Amino acid sequence: MKKMSPDELIEAVEFFENWENRKLFLAFRLKMFEAYDALTEEEQEYVDESMVMEHIAMVYSCYEGMAEMAERMKNGEPVPKEVREAIEKYIN
């Protein structure tokens, strides 16, 4: 993979449109972290100021939360209807 510049990484995150597709998001997240790790410290600081990596982390935490709730559903624990619908939409 060609090394991305900080601006290319930021633009890739800004133009990514598949946040609701778990499989595509996880593949994209991996690619972005690889690109981020290839940057110098100074370049990483520049990207950090843009908050795009924080956005990726926030979306990922939502998926982790849905996975936890899906596990609760499997165990027969009560899950609010709106959470259950979100889980069925994004995890399945």
Side-chain angles (χ1 to χ4, degrees):
M1 178 174 97
K2 175 186 156 273
K3 181 180 175 186
M4 296 175 81
S5 72
D7 286 328
E8 288 172 327
L9 191 152
I10 292 167
E11 287 179 8
V13 174
E14 289 175 353
F15 292 113
F16 183 70
E17 296 179 346
N18 294 300
W19 300 102
E20 295 179 355
N21 183 313
R22 184 175 186 263
K23 187 178 284 189
L24 292 177
F25 166 72
L26 292 177
F28 176 74
R29 175 182 173 266
L30 179 61
K31 181 181 174 184
M32 292 300 100
F33 276 119
E34 288 173 353
Y36 180 82
D37 287 342
L39 298 174
T40 65
E41 272 189 51
E42 185 177 309
E43 290 171 327
Q44 286 180 353
E45 288 177 18
Y46 174 77
V47 170
D48 290 344
E49 290 175 7
S50 73
M51 304 293 285
V52 297
M53 300 309 282
E54 286 83 356
H55 182 70
I56 289 173
M58 181 199 68
V59 174
Y60 182 73
S61 70
C62 291
Y63 278 114
E64 283 185 321
M66 282 190 257
E68 182 180 317
M69 293 303 284
E71 189 63 32
R72 289 183 181 184
M73 282 174 55
K74 288 180 190 175
N75 294 333
E77 296 177 39
V79 176
K81 180 183 176 187
E82 58 276 358
V83 174
R84 190 173 52 252
E85 289 170 354
I87 291 167
E88 290 168 356
K89 182 176 181 183
Y90 299 120
I91 298 295
N92 294 330

